[in-house]
Amino acid sequence: MDFGFGSDLVPIVAILAVFGPFFYIIYLGGKLIKYRIDKKYNALSTEKLNEFDKFKERTNARLQALEAIISEQDEEQASKINKSSAPFKQDRSLSDTELSADESHYESKITKGSNSRLKNQLK
């Protein structure tokens, strides 16, 4: 009973029948390990992304508050300049000491108000 070409197939089929499921189990184990590693690192990166988003939101809020304070200071300085130049145009009877006292009063209000707002925003 010489099977000829078929006799060469029997050992190959036997090897595949025995080792095929074994290699498939190894493949599934590797896939499971890779899935668990990806899941772990994705969770860590998600936490970091959430923390980074919160940081960006806080930083943007602080930046907007600082910009608002600066724009208020610019408006107050512009109004101070307009007020200080208006007496010169309308009434020249005010003395220099009255004007300098008036200007220092406005400057103290500006610096006092903006510093307290700035301290509140940085907490």
Side-chain angles (χ1 to χ4, degrees):
M1 288 193 103
D2 187 21
F3 291 111
F5 182 72
S7 64
D8 292 337
L9 281 177
V10 173
I12 293 174
V13 170
I15 290 173
L16 289 177
V18 172
F19 290 112
F22 179 71
F23 288 125
Y24 185 70
I25 290 172
I26 291 174
Y27 169 75
L28 289 179
K31 218 171 147 179
L32 178 65
I33 291 171
K34 183 180 178 190
Y35 170 76
R36 302 277 307 260
I37 290 172
D38 288 344
K39 184 178 176 183
K40 178 182 175 183
Y41 285 113
N42 282 340
L44 291 177
S45 65
T46 303
E47 282 181 21
K48 288 181 181 180
L49 286 175
N50 289 339
E51 290 177 13
F52 183 67
D53 288 340
K54 289 178 184 177
F55 173 76
K56 282 186 357 183
E57 289 173 7
R58 287 192 312 259
T59 304
N60 284 336
R62 288 181 178 177
L63 183 62
Q64 290 173 355
L66 290 173
E67 288 174 348
I69 291 170
I70 290 173
S71 66
E72 287 176 7
Q73 284 180 350
D74 289 343
E75 290 173 5
E76 289 175 357
Q77 286 178 355
S79 66
K80 184 178 87 172
I81 290 171
N82 290 339
K83 287 181 183 178
S84 66
S85 64
F88 290 119
K89 293 178 184 175
Q90 295 174 356
D91 187 19
R92 296 236 178 222
S93 63
L94 293 175
S95 68
D96 290 335
T97 56
E98 290 175 352
L99 289 176
S100 64
D102 211 23
E103 289 175 0
S104 64
H105 175 70
Y106 286 122
E107 287 176 359
S108 66
K109 278 188 174 181
I110 290 171
T111 57
K112 182 180 175 185
S114 64
N115 285 341
S116 64
R117 286 187 213 130
L118 182 60
K119 287 178 185 175
N120 288 338
Q121 291 296 323
L122 294 177
K123 286 185 181 178

